[in-house]
Amino acid sequence: MSLFNISIKETLKRDKDEFLDSLYTKLLDNKEYESIKGKNSFEINKCRLNTFLSFNTKVLIDSKEIQVDAELHDTLLLTIIIVLAILLTYGIGVIIVVAFAYLQKRKAEAYLKDIISKVNINNN
């Protein structure tokens, strides 16, 4: 697992089909993302989780447990920015780029946890 990837495990409190459909529509949020939906899981590629950077998000439900994994998609962009930061700022800019990417990860993680708890508790 990378420094910028997200992994969340929670217990399921609703029907898994309703939860999966609700979470899927919340994450898509009327945007056109490439997605794959299965019976007990779905995957959304290049999903912006309320962040500037995009994540490949996978949700899997096993019996009564929710597993959410989000992998940073914009690694090439970050690599280019880090190389430019090394060349232009003699390495000091790398700290800013890495801090920005880490804060984006934390923001995406908080966003995912918030959505999961809202969808998991809401019984509509």
Side-chain angles (χ1 to χ4, degrees), residues 6-8 10 19 22-31 33 42 44 46-55 57 59 68 70 102-120:
I6 301 167
S7 183
I8 300 172
E10 288 195 23
F19 175 81
S22 298
L23 187 61
Y24 185 72
T25 53
K26 282 269 194 191
L27 286 178
L28 284 180
D29 195 31
N30 297 325
K31 295 181 181 125
Y33 295 123
F42 66 84
I44 302 173
K46 301 177 189 175
C47 181
R48 296 199 185 275
L49 301 171
N50 200 22
T51 58
F52 292 113
L53 300 176
S54 59
F55 292 83
T57 308
V59 176
V68 179
Y102 184 74
L103 290 174
Q104 289 288 291
K105 175 224 176 196
R106 296 293 302 230
K107 185 176 180 182
E109 186 174 18
Y111 178 74
L112 276 174
K113 284 183 179 180
D114 184 46
I115 284 182
I116 289 170
S117 66
K118 285 180 182 177
V119 170
N120 206 7

mmCIF file of all heavy atoms in Angstrom, residues 6-8 10 19 22-31 33 42 44 46-55 57 59 68 70 102-120:
data_model
loop_
_atom_site.group_PDB
_atom_site.id
_atom_site.type_symbol
_atom_site.label_atom_id
_atom_site.label_comp_id
_atom_site.label_asym_id
_atom_site.label_seq_id
_atom_site.Cartn_x
_atom_site.Cartn_y
_atom_site.Cartn_z
ATOM 1 N N ILE A 6 -5.944 4.859 -0.207
ATOM 2 C CA ILE A 6 -6.912 4.852 0.889
ATOM 3 C C ILE A 6 -7.495 3.451 1.026
ATOM 4 O O ILE A 6 -7.815 2.816 0.031
ATOM 5 C CB ILE A 6 -8.049 5.850 0.600
ATOM 6 C CG1 ILE A 6 -7.493 7.267 0.428
ATOM 7 C CG2 ILE A 6 -9.098 5.814 1.697
ATOM 8 C CD1 ILE A 6 -8.486 8.236 -0.145
ATOM 9 N N SER A 7 -7.639 2.998 2.257
ATOM 10 C CA SER A 7 -8.283 1.716 2.533
ATOM 11 C C SER A 7 -9.187 1.899 3.747
ATOM 12 O O SER A 7 -8.728 2.302 4.811
ATOM 13 C CB SER A 7 -7.246 0.639 2.796
ATOM 14 O OG SER A 7 -7.871 -0.587 3.000
ATOM 15 N N ILE A 8 -10.481 1.602 3.564
ATOM 16 C CA ILE A 8 -11.457 1.775 4.632
ATOM 17 C C ILE A 8 -12.238 0.468 4.783
ATOM 18 O O ILE A 8 -12.684 -0.106 3.793
ATOM 19 C CB ILE A 8 -12.435 2.923 4.313
ATOM 20 C CG1 ILE A 8 -11.688 4.243 4.156
ATOM 21 C CG2 ILE A 8 -13.508 3.029 5.391
ATOM 22 C CD1 ILE A 8 -12.547 5.379 3.654
ATOM 23 N N GLU A 10 -15.529 -1.040 7.098
ATOM 24 C CA GLU A 10 -16.600 -0.755 8.047
ATOM 25 C C GLU A 10 -17.617 -1.875 8.005
ATOM 26 O O GLU A 10 -17.683 -2.618 7.027
ATOM 27 C CB GLU A 10 -17.274 0.580 7.723
ATOM 28 C CG GLU A 10 -16.427 1.773 8.047
ATOM 29 C CD GLU A 10 -17.219 3.070 8.079
ATOM 30 O OE1 GLU A 10 -18.439 3.025 8.282
ATOM 31 O OE2 GLU A 10 -16.592 4.112 7.889
ATOM 32 N N PHE A 19 -27.412 -0.517 -0.205
ATOM 33 C CA PHE A 19 -26.212 0.235 0.140
ATOM 34 C C PHE A 19 -25.318 0.421 -1.080
ATOM 35 O O PHE A 19 -24.846 1.526 -1.349
ATOM 36 C CB PHE A 19 -25.426 -0.478 1.247
ATOM 37 C CG PHE A 19 -24.118 0.184 1.556
ATOM 38 C CD1 PHE A 19 -24.067 1.298 2.372
ATOM 39 C CD2 PHE A 19 -22.927 -0.296 1.009
ATOM 40 C CE1 PHE A 19 -22.861 1.927 2.640
ATOM 41 C CE2 PHE A 19 -21.732 0.322 1.270
ATOM 42 C CZ PHE A 19 -21.695 1.435 2.098
ATOM 43 N N SER A 22 -26.902 2.922 -3.530
ATOM 44 C CA SER A 22 -26.858 4.284 -2.993
ATOM 45 C C SER A 22 -25.449 4.864 -3.040
ATOM 46 O O SER A 22 -25.252 6.009 -3.443
ATOM 47 C CB SER A 22 -27.365 4.305 -1.555
ATOM 48 O OG SER A 22 -28.691 3.901 -1.492
ATOM 49 N N LEU A 23 -24.474 4.067 -2.622
ATOM 50 C CA LEU A 23 -23.088 4.539 -2.628
ATOM 51 C C LEU A 23 -22.597 4.780 -4.056
ATOM 52 O O LEU A 23 -21.907 5.759 -4.321
ATOM 53 C CB LEU A 23 -22.177 3.539 -1.913
ATOM 54 C CG LEU A 23 -20.733 3.966 -1.702
ATOM 55 C CD1 LEU A 23 -20.658 5.225 -0.851
ATOM 56 C CD2 LEU A 23 -19.945 2.859 -1.054
ATOM 57 N N TYR A 24 -22.986 3.910 -4.954
ATOM 58 C CA TYR A 24 -22.605 4.050 -6.371
ATOM 59 C C TYR A 24 -23.131 5.360 -6.945
ATOM 60 O O TYR A 24 -22.390 6.102 -7.586
ATOM 61 C CB TYR A 24 -23.144 2.850 -7.149
ATOM 62 C CG TYR A 24 -22.750 2.785 -8.594
ATOM 63 C CD1 TYR A 24 -21.452 2.461 -8.955
ATOM 64 C CD2 TYR A 24 -23.668 3.037 -9.598
ATOM 65 C CE1 TYR A 24 -21.079 2.388 -10.291
ATOM 66 C CE2 TYR A 24 -23.315 2.967 -10.934
ATOM 67 C CZ TYR A 24 -22.019 2.638 -11.275
ATOM 68 O OH TYR A 24 -21.654 2.569 -12.590
ATOM 69 N N THR A 25 -24.400 5.670 -6.699
ATOM 70 C CA THR A 25 -24.965 6.918 -7.230
ATOM 71 C C THR A 25 -24.367 8.139 -6.540
ATOM 72 O O THR A 25 -24.168 9.168 -7.174
ATOM 73 C CB THR A 25 -26.499 6.947 -7.099
ATOM 74 O OG1 THR A 25 -26.859 6.682 -5.756
ATOM 75 C CG2 THR A 25 -27.146 5.950 -8.020
ATOM 76 N N LYS A 26 -24.073 8.041 -5.241
ATOM 77 C CA LYS A 26 -23.454 9.172 -4.536
ATOM 78 C C LYS A 26 -22.056 9.469 -5.072
ATOM 79 O O LYS A 26 -21.681 10.621 -5.241
ATOM 80 C CB LYS A 26 -23.350 8.881 -3.038
ATOM 81 C CG LYS A 26 -24.609 9.052 -2.298
ATOM 82 C CD LYS A 26 -24.708 10.449 -1.795
ATOM 83 C CE LYS A 26 -25.811 10.483 -0.764
ATOM 84 N NZ LYS A 26 -26.172 11.807 -0.390
ATOM 85 N N LEU A 27 -21.272 8.417 -5.328
ATOM 86 C CA LEU A 27 -19.909 8.632 -5.817
ATOM 87 C C LEU A 27 -19.903 9.127 -7.262
ATOM 88 O O LEU A 27 -19.054 9.932 -7.634
ATOM 89 C CB LEU A 27 -19.081 7.350 -5.690
ATOM 90 C CG LEU A 27 -18.641 6.986 -4.280
ATOM 91 C CD1 LEU A 27 -17.886 5.675 -4.285
ATOM 92 C CD2 LEU A 27 -17.797 8.076 -3.676
ATOM 93 N N LEU A 28 -20.819 8.649 -8.076
ATOM 94 C CA LEU A 28 -20.892 9.131 -9.456
ATOM 95 C C LEU A 28 -21.355 10.576 -9.496
ATOM 96 O O LEU A 28 -20.832 11.378 -10.280
ATOM 97 C CB LEU A 28 -21.818 8.260 -10.299
ATOM 98 C CG LEU A 28 -21.252 6.919 -10.713
ATOM 99 C CD1 LEU A 28 -22.270 6.153 -11.531
ATOM 100 C CD2 LEU A 28 -19.975 7.076 -11.497
ATOM 101 N N ASP A 29 -22.329 10.924 -8.673
ATOM 102 C CA ASP A 29 -22.772 12.310 -8.499
ATOM 103 C C ASP A 29 -22.987 13.044 -9.825
ATOM 104 O O ASP A 29 -22.457 14.131 -10.038
ATOM 105 C CB ASP A 29 -21.778 13.059 -7.614
ATOM 106 C CG ASP A 29 -22.342 14.369 -7.096
ATOM 107 O OD1 ASP A 29 -23.563 14.445 -6.894
ATOM 108 O OD2 ASP A 29 -21.550 15.314 -6.896
ATOM 109 N N ASN A 30 -23.727 12.408 -10.743
ATOM 110 C CA ASN A 30 -24.075 12.992 -12.054
ATOM 111 C C ASN A 30 -22.853 13.348 -12.903
ATOM 112 O O ASN A 30 -22.898 14.285 -13.699
ATOM 113 C CB ASN A 30 -24.960 14.226 -11.883
ATOM 114 C CG ASN A 30 -26.275 13.886 -11.247
ATOM 115 O OD1 ASN A 30 -26.824 12.811 -11.482
ATOM 116 N ND2 ASN A 30 -26.785 14.782 -10.428
ATOM 117 N N LYS A 31 -21.758 12.641 -12.720
ATOM 118 C CA LYS A 31 -20.559 12.863 -13.521
ATOM 119 C C LYS A 31 -20.287 11.626 -14.355
ATOM 120 O O LYS A 31 -20.702 10.533 -14.008
ATOM 121 C CB LYS A 31 -19.368 13.177 -12.630
ATOM 122 C CG LYS A 31 -19.549 14.472 -11.883
ATOM 123 C CD LYS A 31 -18.356 14.776 -11.030
ATOM 124 C CE LYS A 31 -18.604 16.068 -10.290
ATOM 125 N NZ LYS A 31 -18.469 15.969 -8.878
ATOM 126 N N TYR A 33 -17.927 9.056 -15.200
ATOM 127 C CA TYR A 33 -16.709 8.323 -14.888
ATOM 128 C C TYR A 33 -16.810 6.938 -15.501
ATOM 129 O O TYR A 33 -17.893 6.377 -15.609
ATOM 130 C CB TYR A 33 -16.514 8.162 -13.379
ATOM 131 C CG TYR A 33 -16.280 9.439 -12.617
ATOM 132 C CD1 TYR A 33 -17.113 9.806 -11.569
ATOM 133 C CD2 TYR A 33 -15.225 10.275 -12.933
ATOM 134 C CE1 TYR A 33 -16.905 10.975 -10.850
ATOM 135 C CE2 TYR A 33 -15.007 11.437 -12.226
ATOM 136 C CZ TYR A 33 -15.843 11.789 -11.185
ATOM 137 O OH TYR A 33 -15.627 12.930 -10.487
ATOM 138 N N PHE A 42 -18.245 -2.649 -7.015
ATOM 139 C CA PHE A 42 -18.151 -1.766 -8.173
ATOM 140 C C PHE A 42 -16.800 -1.067 -8.154
ATOM 141 O O PHE A 42 -16.123 -1.021 -7.131
ATOM 142 C CB PHE A 42 -19.311 -0.755 -8.242
ATOM 143 C CG PHE A 42 -19.350 0.260 -7.137
ATOM 144 C CD1 PHE A 42 -18.591 1.413 -7.196
ATOM 145 C CD2 PHE A 42 -20.188 0.072 -6.052
ATOM 146 C CE1 PHE A 42 -18.652 2.356 -6.184
ATOM 147 C CE2 PHE A 42 -20.259 0.999 -5.039
ATOM 148 C CZ PHE A 42 -19.492 2.151 -5.104
ATOM 149 N N ILE A 44 -14.875 2.509 -9.858
ATOM 150 C CA ILE A 44 -14.980 3.761 -10.596
ATOM 151 C C ILE A 44 -13.564 4.262 -10.838
ATOM 152 O O ILE A 44 -12.801 4.464 -9.898
ATOM 153 C CB ILE A 44 -15.784 4.814 -9.811
ATOM 154 C CG1 ILE A 44 -17.178 4.298 -9.495
ATOM 155 C CG2 ILE A 44 -15.859 6.109 -10.610
ATOM 156 C CD1 ILE A 44 -17.975 5.197 -8.592
ATOM 157 N N LYS A 46 -10.763 7.028 -12.206
ATOM 158 C CA LYS A 46 -10.519 8.469 -12.295
ATOM 159 C C LYS A 46 -11.585 9.287 -11.580
ATOM 160 O O LYS A 46 -12.001 10.341 -12.041
ATOM 161 C CB LYS A 46 -10.417 8.907 -13.750
ATOM 162 C CG LYS A 46 -9.317 8.220 -14.521
ATOM 163 C CD LYS A 46 -9.335 8.645 -15.965
ATOM 164 C CE LYS A 46 -8.381 7.807 -16.765
ATOM 165 N NZ LYS A 46 -8.462 8.107 -18.190
ATOM 166 N N CYS A 47 -12.008 8.818 -10.432
ATOM 167 C CA CYS A 47 -13.057 9.471 -9.652
ATOM 168 C C CYS A 47 -12.440 10.574 -8.789
ATOM 169 O O CYS A 47 -11.473 10.328 -8.061
ATOM 170 C CB CYS A 47 -13.758 8.429 -8.779
ATOM 171 S SG CYS A 47 -15.084 9.075 -7.789
ATOM 172 N N ARG A 48 -12.998 11.746 -8.875
ATOM 173 C CA ARG A 48 -12.536 12.843 -8.021
ATOM 174 C C ARG A 48 -13.372 12.821 -6.745
ATOM 175 O O ARG A 48 -14.557 13.105 -6.774
ATOM 176 C CB ARG A 48 -12.662 14.170 -8.732
ATOM 177 C CG ARG A 48 -11.784 14.244 -9.947
ATOM 178 C CD ARG A 48 -11.553 15.669 -10.387
ATOM 179 N NE ARG A 48 -10.807 15.715 -11.625
ATOM 180 C CZ ARG A 48 -9.493 15.669 -11.715
ATOM 181 N NH1 ARG A 48 -8.774 15.571 -10.626
ATOM 182 N NH2 ARG A 48 -8.900 15.734 -12.879
ATOM 183 N N LEU A 49 -12.737 12.491 -5.650
ATOM 184 C CA LEU A 49 -13.414 12.355 -4.359
ATOM 185 C C LEU A 49 -13.351 13.675 -3.602
ATOM 186 O O LEU A 49 -12.743 13.778 -2.547
ATOM 187 C CB LEU A 49 -12.770 11.234 -3.545
ATOM 188 C CG LEU A 49 -12.775 9.860 -4.200
ATOM 189 C CD1 LEU A 49 -11.927 8.894 -3.405
ATOM 190 C CD2 LEU A 49 -14.196 9.367 -4.352
ATOM 191 N N ASN A 50 -13.964 14.693 -4.174
ATOM 192 C CA ASN A 50 -13.963 16.039 -3.614
ATOM 193 C C ASN A 50 -12.534 16.586 -3.525
ATOM 194 O O ASN A 50 -12.195 17.295 -2.593
ATOM 195 C CB ASN A 50 -14.646 16.039 -2.243
ATOM 196 C CG ASN A 50 -15.112 17.408 -1.832
ATOM 197 O OD1 ASN A 50 -15.306 18.287 -2.664
ATOM 198 N ND2 ASN A 50 -15.298 17.595 -0.542
ATOM 199 N N THR A 51 -11.683 16.203 -4.490
ATOM 200 C CA THR A 51 -10.278 16.600 -4.509
ATOM 201 C C THR A 51 -9.859 17.022 -5.914
ATOM 202 O O THR A 51 -10.588 16.811 -6.877
ATOM 203 C CB THR A 51 -9.371 15.428 -4.087
ATOM 204 O OG1 THR A 51 -9.600 14.339 -4.971
ATOM 205 C CG2 THR A 51 -9.636 15.007 -2.664
ATOM 206 N N PHE A 52 -8.666 17.603 -6.025
ATOM 207 C CA PHE A 52 -8.103 17.940 -7.330
ATOM 208 C C PHE A 52 -7.533 16.697 -8.015
ATOM 209 O O PHE A 52 -7.581 16.575 -9.225
ATOM 210 C CB PHE A 52 -6.991 18.985 -7.197
ATOM 211 C CG PHE A 52 -7.502 20.322 -6.761
ATOM 212 C CD1 PHE A 52 -7.167 20.837 -5.526
ATOM 213 C CD2 PHE A 52 -8.324 21.074 -7.587
ATOM 214 C CE1 PHE A 52 -7.627 22.066 -5.119
ATOM 215 C CE2 PHE A 52 -8.798 22.306 -7.189
ATOM 216 C CZ PHE A 52 -8.448 22.810 -5.950
ATOM 217 N N LEU A 53 -6.968 15.797 -7.225
ATOM 218 C CA LEU A 53 -6.391 14.568 -7.762
ATOM 219 C C LEU A 53 -7.477 13.511 -7.893
ATOM 220 O O LEU A 53 -8.439 13.493 -7.131
ATOM 221 C CB LEU A 53 -5.284 14.063 -6.837
ATOM 222 C CG LEU A 53 -4.102 15.020 -6.625
ATOM 223 C CD1 LEU A 53 -3.130 14.437 -5.609
ATOM 224 C CD2 LEU A 53 -3.402 15.311 -7.926
ATOM 225 N N SER A 54 -7.321 12.611 -8.847
ATOM 226 C CA SER A 54 -8.331 11.571 -9.042
ATOM 227 C C SER A 54 -7.838 10.225 -8.497
ATOM 228 O O SER A 54 -6.636 9.964 -8.445
ATOM 229 C CB SER A 54 -8.711 11.452 -10.509
ATOM 230 O OG SER A 54 -7.586 11.149 -11.288
ATOM 231 N N PHE A 55 -8.801 9.393 -8.111
ATOM 232 C CA PHE A 55 -8.527 8.102 -7.512
ATOM 233 C C PHE A 55 -9.310 7.024 -8.249
ATOM 234 O O PHE A 55 -10.426 7.266 -8.705
ATOM 235 C CB PHE A 55 -8.955 8.088 -6.039
ATOM 236 C CG PHE A 55 -8.130 8.956 -5.144
ATOM 237 C CD1 PHE A 55 -8.382 10.308 -5.023
ATOM 238 C CD2 PHE A 55 -7.090 8.416 -4.413
ATOM 239 C CE1 PHE A 55 -7.620 11.112 -4.198
ATOM 240 C CE2 PHE A 55 -6.322 9.203 -3.581
ATOM 241 C CZ PHE A 55 -6.581 10.558 -3.474
ATOM 242 N N THR A 57 -11.372 4.034 -7.517
ATOM 243 C CA THR A 57 -12.075 3.621 -6.310
ATOM 244 C C THR A 57 -12.753 2.274 -6.513
ATOM 245 O O THR A 57 -13.465 2.081 -7.485
ATOM 246 C CB THR A 57 -13.134 4.677 -5.932
ATOM 247 O OG1 THR A 57 -12.503 5.959 -5.891
ATOM 248 C CG2 THR A 57 -13.747 4.379 -4.594
ATOM 249 N N VAL A 59 -15.120 -0.682 -4.417
ATOM 250 C CA VAL A 59 -15.936 -0.995 -3.249
ATOM 251 C C VAL A 59 -16.340 -2.458 -3.344
ATOM 252 O O VAL A 59 -16.845 -2.899 -4.374
ATOM 253 C CB VAL A 59 -17.187 -0.095 -3.187
ATOM 254 C CG1 VAL A 59 -18.071 -0.487 -2.022
ATOM 255 C CG2 VAL A 59 -16.790 1.372 -3.093
ATOM 256 N N VAL A 68 -13.461 -0.506 1.107
ATOM 257 C CA VAL A 68 -13.283 0.534 0.104
ATOM 258 C C VAL A 68 -11.791 0.777 -0.070
ATOM 259 O O VAL A 68 -11.083 1.043 0.901
ATOM 260 C CB VAL A 68 -13.978 1.851 0.521
ATOM 261 C CG1 VAL A 68 -13.772 2.922 -0.525
ATOM 262 C CG2 VAL A 68 -15.447 1.631 0.784
ATOM 263 N N ALA A 70 -9.129 3.048 -2.502
ATOM 264 C CA ALA A 70 -8.978 4.109 -3.490
ATOM 265 C C ALA A 70 -7.486 4.289 -3.753
ATOM 266 O O ALA A 70 -6.715 4.567 -2.836
ATOM 267 C CB ALA A 70 -9.606 5.406 -3.005
ATOM 268 N N TYR A 102 -0.518 14.407 0.036
ATOM 269 C CA TYR A 102 -0.953 13.746 1.273
ATOM 270 C C TYR A 102 -2.230 14.386 1.816
ATOM 271 O O TYR A 102 -3.139 13.689 2.269
ATOM 272 C CB TYR A 102 0.155 13.787 2.317
ATOM 273 C CG TYR A 102 -0.199 13.046 3.571
ATOM 274 C CD1 TYR A 102 -0.210 11.655 3.588
ATOM 275 C CD2 TYR A 102 -0.560 13.718 4.731
ATOM 276 C CE1 TYR A 102 -0.562 10.955 4.729
ATOM 277 C CE2 TYR A 102 -0.911 13.032 5.876
ATOM 278 C CZ TYR A 102 -0.909 11.656 5.871
ATOM 279 O OH TYR A 102 -1.267 10.967 6.992
ATOM 280 N N LEU A 103 -2.313 15.707 1.754
ATOM 281 C CA LEU A 103 -3.524 16.383 2.216
ATOM 282 C C LEU A 103 -4.718 16.054 1.323
ATOM 283 O O LEU A 103 -5.851 15.943 1.809
ATOM 284 C CB LEU A 103 -3.295 17.893 2.289
ATOM 285 C CG LEU A 103 -2.344 18.346 3.397
ATOM 286 C CD1 LEU A 103 -2.074 19.841 3.293
ATOM 287 C CD2 LEU A 103 -2.898 17.995 4.764
ATOM 288 N N GLN A 104 -4.486 15.871 0.026
ATOM 289 C CA GLN A 104 -5.552 15.446 -0.875
ATOM 290 C C GLN A 104 -6.043 14.049 -0.503
ATOM 291 O O GLN A 104 -7.230 13.766 -0.538
ATOM 292 C CB GLN A 104 -5.061 15.461 -2.328
ATOM 293 C CG GLN A 104 -4.852 16.843 -2.891
ATOM 294 C CD GLN A 104 -6.165 17.545 -3.140
ATOM 295 O OE1 GLN A 104 -6.914 17.181 -4.018
ATOM 296 N NE2 GLN A 104 -6.445 18.553 -2.341
ATOM 297 N N LYS A 105 -5.119 13.184 -0.138
ATOM 298 C CA LYS A 105 -5.479 11.830 0.292
ATOM 299 C C LYS A 105 -6.331 11.896 1.555
ATOM 300 O O LYS A 105 -7.355 11.225 1.666
ATOM 301 C CB LYS A 105 -4.223 11.001 0.558
ATOM 302 C CG LYS A 105 -4.531 9.627 1.110
ATOM 303 C CD LYS A 105 -3.612 9.307 2.230
ATOM 304 C CE LYS A 105 -4.006 7.980 2.838
ATOM 305 N NZ LYS A 105 -3.436 7.757 4.107
ATOM 306 N N ARG A 106 -5.929 12.702 2.514
ATOM 307 C CA ARG A 106 -6.682 12.835 3.763
ATOM 308 C C ARG A 106 -8.083 13.402 3.519
ATOM 309 O O ARG A 106 -9.062 12.964 4.112
ATOM 310 C CB ARG A 106 -5.924 13.728 4.754
ATOM 311 C CG ARG A 106 -4.591 13.179 5.230
ATOM 312 C CD ARG A 106 -4.763 11.965 6.062
ATOM 313 N NE ARG A 106 -5.596 12.285 7.191
ATOM 314 C CZ ARG A 106 -5.336 12.011 8.448
ATOM 315 N NH1 ARG A 106 -4.251 11.361 8.751
ATOM 316 N NH2 ARG A 106 -6.156 12.356 9.406
ATOM 317 N N LYS A 107 -8.173 14.370 2.610
ATOM 318 C CA LYS A 107 -9.469 14.965 2.270
ATOM 319 C C LYS A 107 -10.375 13.931 1.599
ATOM 320 O O LYS A 107 -11.559 13.829 1.920
ATOM 321 C CB LYS A 107 -9.261 16.171 1.357
ATOM 322 C CG LYS A 107 -10.511 16.925 1.045
ATOM 323 C CD LYS A 107 -10.205 18.158 0.215
ATOM 324 C CE LYS A 107 -11.478 18.915 -0.106
ATOM 325 N NZ LYS A 107 -11.206 20.077 -0.946
ATOM 326 N N ALA A 108 -9.822 13.141 0.689
ATOM 327 C CA ALA A 108 -10.592 12.101 0.012
ATOM 328 C C ALA A 108 -11.033 11.026 1.005
ATOM 329 O O ALA A 108 -12.159 10.525 0.929
ATOM 330 C CB ALA A 108 -9.769 11.476 -1.112
ATOM 331 N N GLU A 109 -10.162 10.672 1.941
ATOM 332 C CA GLU A 109 -10.498 9.665 2.946
ATOM 333 C C GLU A 109 -11.642 10.149 3.833
ATOM 334 O O GLU A 109 -12.586 9.404 4.117
ATOM 335 C CB GLU A 109 -9.267 9.340 3.791
ATOM 336 C CG GLU A 109 -9.451 8.219 4.764
ATOM 337 C CD GLU A 109 -8.149 7.854 5.453
ATOM 338 O OE1 GLU A 109 -7.193 8.646 5.440
ATOM 339 O OE2 GLU A 109 -8.100 6.755 6.019
ATOM 340 N N ALA A 110 -11.591 11.401 4.261
ATOM 341 C CA ALA A 110 -12.669 11.960 5.080
ATOM 342 C C ALA A 110 -13.976 12.015 4.295
ATOM 343 O O ALA A 110 -15.048 11.709 4.835
ATOM 344 C CB ALA A 110 -12.282 13.355 5.565
ATOM 345 N N TYR A 111 -13.894 12.367 3.026
ATOM 346 C CA TYR A 111 -15.071 12.419 2.157
ATOM 347 C C TYR A 111 -15.698 11.034 2.015
ATOM 348 O O TYR A 111 -16.907 10.873 2.146
ATOM 349 C CB TYR A 111 -14.659 12.985 0.802
ATOM 350 C CG TYR A 111 -15.760 13.044 -0.226
ATOM 351 C CD1 TYR A 111 -16.771 13.992 -0.134
ATOM 352 C CD2 TYR A 111 -15.790 12.152 -1.291
ATOM 353 C CE1 TYR A 111 -17.775 14.052 -1.084
ATOM 354 C CE2 TYR A 111 -16.786 12.210 -2.246
ATOM 355 C CZ TYR A 111 -17.779 13.164 -2.138
ATOM 356 O OH TYR A 111 -18.771 13.215 -3.073
ATOM 357 N N LEU A 112 -14.883 10.019 1.769
ATOM 358 C CA LEU A 112 -15.384 8.648 1.645
ATOM 359 C C LEU A 112 -16.026 8.163 2.941
ATOM 360 O O LEU A 112 -17.101 7.563 2.924
ATOM 361 C CB LEU A 112 -14.260 7.699 1.244
ATOM 362 C CG LEU A 112 -13.938 7.602 -0.229
ATOM 363 C CD1 LEU A 112 -12.709 6.738 -0.451
ATOM 364 C CD2 LEU A 112 -15.110 7.057 -1.007
ATOM 365 N N LYS A 113 -15.370 8.415 4.072
ATOM 366 C CA LYS A 113 -15.925 7.987 5.352
ATOM 367 C C LYS A 113 -17.260 8.670 5.629
ATOM 368 O O LYS A 113 -18.193 8.047 6.128
ATOM 369 C CB LYS A 113 -14.938 8.281 6.488
ATOM 370 C CG LYS A 113 -13.786 7.312 6.536
ATOM 371 C CD LYS A 113 -12.880 7.600 7.700
ATOM 372 C CE LYS A 113 -11.742 6.610 7.753
ATOM 373 N NZ LYS A 113 -10.833 6.854 8.871
ATOM 374 N N ASP A 114 -17.356 9.943 5.284
ATOM 375 C CA ASP A 114 -18.591 10.686 5.488
ATOM 376 C C ASP A 114 -19.719 10.119 4.631
ATOM 377 O O ASP A 114 -20.827 9.887 5.121
ATOM 378 C CB ASP A 114 -18.357 12.165 5.167
ATOM 379 C CG ASP A 114 -19.574 13.017 5.442
ATOM 380 O OD1 ASP A 114 -20.176 12.844 6.518
ATOM 381 O OD2 ASP A 114 -19.919 13.857 4.586
ATOM 382 N N ILE A 115 -19.443 9.881 3.362
ATOM 383 C CA ILE A 115 -20.465 9.327 2.463
ATOM 384 C C ILE A 115 -20.875 7.929 2.908
ATOM 385 O O ILE A 115 -22.058 7.601 2.927
ATOM 386 C CB ILE A 115 -19.967 9.320 1.009
ATOM 387 C CG1 ILE A 115 -20.022 10.702 0.434
ATOM 388 C CG2 ILE A 115 -20.777 8.381 0.154
ATOM 389 C CD1 ILE A 115 -19.599 10.805 -0.998
ATOM 390 N N ILE A 116 -19.910 7.098 3.272
ATOM 391 C CA ILE A 116 -20.226 5.728 3.706
ATOM 392 C C ILE A 116 -21.098 5.752 4.955
ATOM 393 O O ILE A 116 -22.077 5.022 5.038
ATOM 394 C CB ILE A 116 -18.939 4.918 3.938
ATOM 395 C CG1 ILE A 116 -18.264 4.616 2.595
ATOM 396 C CG2 ILE A 116 -19.232 3.624 4.675
ATOM 397 C CD1 ILE A 116 -16.892 4.037 2.728
ATOM 398 N N SER A 117 -20.763 6.600 5.913
ATOM 399 C CA SER A 117 -21.573 6.640 7.144
ATOM 400 C C SER A 117 -22.971 7.163 6.861
ATOM 401 O O SER A 117 -23.946 6.658 7.411
ATOM 402 C CB SER A 117 -20.879 7.474 8.210
ATOM 403 O OG SER A 117 -20.811 8.827 7.810
ATOM 404 N N LYS A 118 -23.105 8.163 5.979
ATOM 405 C CA LYS A 118 -24.436 8.681 5.647
ATOM 406 C C LYS A 118 -25.276 7.643 4.916
ATOM 407 O O LYS A 118 -26.455 7.472 5.229
ATOM 408 C CB LYS A 118 -24.323 9.946 4.799
ATOM 409 C CG LYS A 118 -23.915 11.164 5.573
ATOM 410 C CD LYS A 118 -23.825 12.371 4.679
ATOM 411 C CE LYS A 118 -23.373 13.599 5.462
ATOM 412 N NZ LYS A 118 -23.217 14.762 4.599
ATOM 413 N N VAL A 119 -24.690 6.968 3.962
ATOM 414 C CA VAL A 119 -25.430 5.960 3.194
ATOM 415 C C VAL A 119 -25.723 4.739 4.052
ATOM 416 O O VAL A 119 -26.793 4.139 3.942
ATOM 417 C CB VAL A 119 -24.636 5.553 1.917
ATOM 418 C CG1 VAL A 119 -25.248 4.360 1.245
ATOM 419 C CG2 VAL A 119 -24.560 6.727 0.954
ATOM 420 N N ASN A 120 -24.802 4.386 4.930
ATOM 421 C CA ASN A 120 -24.951 3.202 5.777
ATOM 422 C C ASN A 120 -26.050 3.390 6.829
ATOM 423 O O ASN A 120 -26.761 2.462 7.163
ATOM 424 C CB ASN A 120 -23.624 2.872 6.448
ATOM 425 C CG ASN A 120 -23.482 1.419 6.808
ATOM 426 O OD1 ASN A 120 -24.305 0.591 6.466
ATOM 427 N ND2 ASN A 120 -22.420 1.115 7.511
#
